[in-house]
């Protein structure tokens, strides 16, 4: 019976004489150290089963302890004869006495610690991951009392582990959301898992944090639910970014609609006696819009400065003679809608002046002035002089109608004064 137990055992069981020669190692032991049979066992010394680092310890500590106390147990490393692999073992050694009670041999029982070491290492790795996680990882019992609290929880909620452990999880739940915890625990008791539950929690300083919760049941060895593990991810910044993206999307939609409405109005009001003339008119007006839109990019769509818009539109007419065009006015930042209307207006006035007015002759001059009242009203005055003699047209031209339409859409007013010396156009806008 004893022989059967030794043979069937999955642990290393061996016997060595007093000189350290191996006399017997069971099958499980031979597999552990890489010896094929008993003949190979009997040609080895027990000390050779161990790593070189353990040799001195066996001679100085293990064998003297066995002689003095009759037993030694500790952790050593076996060396596999075939692979050279070092295997951690829990080594037990005791004397085997003869009929006179003298020590006749040594018996050993050894347990392979490889799996338990691997499990221990995995547990340490998991513990390290939990502790170093940026997310809050918390465990609690079925009464909602906190049992574990990692550094991520300390960072997100402001409570140290000493402050949190033993306290109810409700310390981080706002008053108006206390019912959430009761519902969560009810679902956990039923064995349910809660994934990505978005809610609000409260920090130690009273501030609120938006979190995404994942809650899972914790079971004991018998499979009974004894608590819950909770992972809380701070998504405050993520939510803020989503809201900003949504705001930008709405703003982009609004701007696109306004731009398309402006382009549509420009096309609808554009006319010419020839297709090529119509094409050039539309191209010029759309280019004016494109120019002002490039200014919006520089200010992150806050708007565009009036003096920059004016300089951009009138630059082609003052390249050879800087005194021909005079621009004067205080800094005024126009919102995108108003800036588009002003850009189209200046483009139409300049195009008309280049065809029929002061900019059509070398000696013609143009002065653009504006003022900005304290009540937010912008007054713009366009004055042409020294150009061809001007007569008031019998009907408003296409450019004039576009100007009046654009300004009127922004609740502004336009006045044309066709003086003999040149056109004077006055515009009033609320900006």
């Amino acid at each position: 019976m004893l022989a059967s137990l030794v043979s069937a055992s999955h642990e290393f069981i061996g016997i060595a004489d007093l000189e350290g020669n191996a006399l017997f190692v069971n099958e499980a032991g031979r597999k552990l150290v890489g010896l094929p049979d008993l003949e190979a066992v009997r040609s080895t010394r027990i000390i050779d089963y161990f790593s070189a680092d353990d040799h001195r310890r066996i001679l100085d500590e293990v064998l003297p302890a066995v002689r003095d106390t009759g037993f030694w147990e500790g952790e050593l490393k076996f060396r596999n004869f075939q692979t050279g692999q070092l295997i951690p073992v829990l080594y037990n050694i005791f004397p085997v006495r003869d009929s006179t009670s003298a020590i006749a041999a040594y018996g050993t029982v050894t347990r392979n610690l490889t799996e338990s070491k691997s499990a221990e290492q995995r547990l340490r790795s998991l513990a390290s991951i939990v502790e170093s996680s940026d997310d809050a990882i918390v465990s609690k019992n079925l009464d909602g009392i906190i049992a574990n609290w990692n550094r991520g929880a300390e960072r997100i909620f402001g409570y140290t582990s000493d402050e949190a452990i033993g306290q109810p999880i409700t310390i981080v739940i706002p008053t108006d959301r206390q019912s959430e915890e009761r519902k969560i625990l009810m679902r956990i008791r039923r064995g349910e898992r809660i994934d990505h539950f978005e809610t609000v929690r409260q920090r130690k300083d009273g501030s609120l944090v938006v979190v995404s919760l994942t809650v899972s049941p914790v079971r004991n060895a018998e499979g009974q639910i004894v608590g819950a593990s909770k992972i809380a991810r701070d998504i405050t910044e993520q939510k803020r970014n989503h809201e900003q993206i949504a705001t930008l999307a709405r703003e982009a939609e609004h701007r696109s609609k306004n731009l398309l409405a402006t382009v549509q109005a420009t096309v609808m009001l554009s006319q010419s006696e020839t297709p090529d003339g119509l094409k050039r008119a539309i191209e010029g007006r759309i280019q004016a819009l494109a120019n002002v839109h490039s200014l919006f990019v520089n200010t992150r769509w806050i708007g565009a400065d009036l003096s920059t818009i004016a300089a951009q539109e009138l630059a082609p007419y003052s390249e050879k003679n800087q005194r021909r065009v005079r621009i004067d006015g205080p800094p005024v930042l126009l919102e995108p809608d108003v800036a588009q209307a002003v850009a189209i207006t200046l483009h139409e006035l300049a195009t008309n002046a280049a065809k029929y007015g002061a900019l059509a002759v070398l000696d013609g001059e143009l002065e653009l002035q504006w003022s900005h009242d304290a009540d937010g009203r912008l007054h713009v005055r366009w004055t042409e002089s020294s150009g061809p003699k001007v007569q008031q047209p019998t009907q408003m031209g296409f450019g004039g109608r576009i100007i009046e339409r654009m300004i009127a859409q922004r609740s502004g007013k336009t006045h044309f004064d066709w003086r003999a010396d040149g056109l004077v156009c006055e515009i009033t806008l609320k900006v």
Side-chain angles (χ1 to χ4, degrees), residues 252 254-263 266 285-296 301 303-306 309 313 334-348 402-403 405-407 409-410 429 431:
H254 172 72
R255 291 169 182 167
S256 298
K257 287 181 177 179
N258 284 344
L259 176 59
L260 290 173
T262 301
V263 171
T266 299
R285 288 157 187 165
I286 291 178
Q287 185 60 52
L289 287 173
N291 291 342
V292 75
H293 271 252
S294 66
L295 301 179
F296 297 157
W301 277 85
D305 183 69
L306 177 52
I309 298 173
E313 284 298 327
L334 303 178
E335 293 182 356
D337 290 354
V338 177
Q340 289 178 157
V342 170
I344 289 291
T345 296
L346 296 182
H347 171 76
E348 294 301 326
I402 287 178
I403 292 172
R405 174 80 174 269
M406 291 291 177
I407 300 303
Q409 285 179 344
R410 277 78 187 175
L429 275 172
V431 296

Side-chain angles (χ1 to χ4, degrees), residues 5 46 50 57 60 114 142 193 209 256 260 274 281 362 399:
L5 287 173
I46 285 291
F50 299 93
R57 187 180 177 195
D60 294 345
T114 303
L142 291 179
R193 173 186 167 94
V209 53
S256 298
L260 290 173
T274 65
L362 293 176

Side-chain angles (χ1 to χ4, degrees), residues 75 88-89 112-122 124:
E75 188 175 321
V89 295
N112 188 345
L113 296 178
T114 303
E115 291 185 2
S116 60
K117 283 287 185 180
S118 299
E120 182 182 348
Q121 185 175 7
R122 287 195 297 270
R124 278 199 291 263

Side-chain angles (χ1 to χ4, degrees), residues 358-395:
L359 299 180
V361 296
L362 293 176
D363 297 332
E365 295 181 355
L366 169 64
E367 184 174 19
L368 177 64
Q369 298 174 303
W370 64 85
S371 61
H372 192 202
D373 295 345
D375 64 356
R377 290 198 171 276
L378 176 67
H379 302 279
V380 180
R381 183 181 177 88
W382 171 283
T383 306
E384 298 178 29
S385 59
S386 303
K389 187 175 181 180
V390 175
Q391 292 183 348
Q392 183 172 351
T394 56
Q395 60 181 9

Side-chain angles (χ1 to χ4, degrees), residues 304-320:
D305 183 69
L306 177 52
S307 62
T308 305
I309 298 173
Q312 191 171 255
E313 284 298 327
L314 299 177
Y317 308 105
S318 58
E319 291 177 349
K320 296 180 180 179

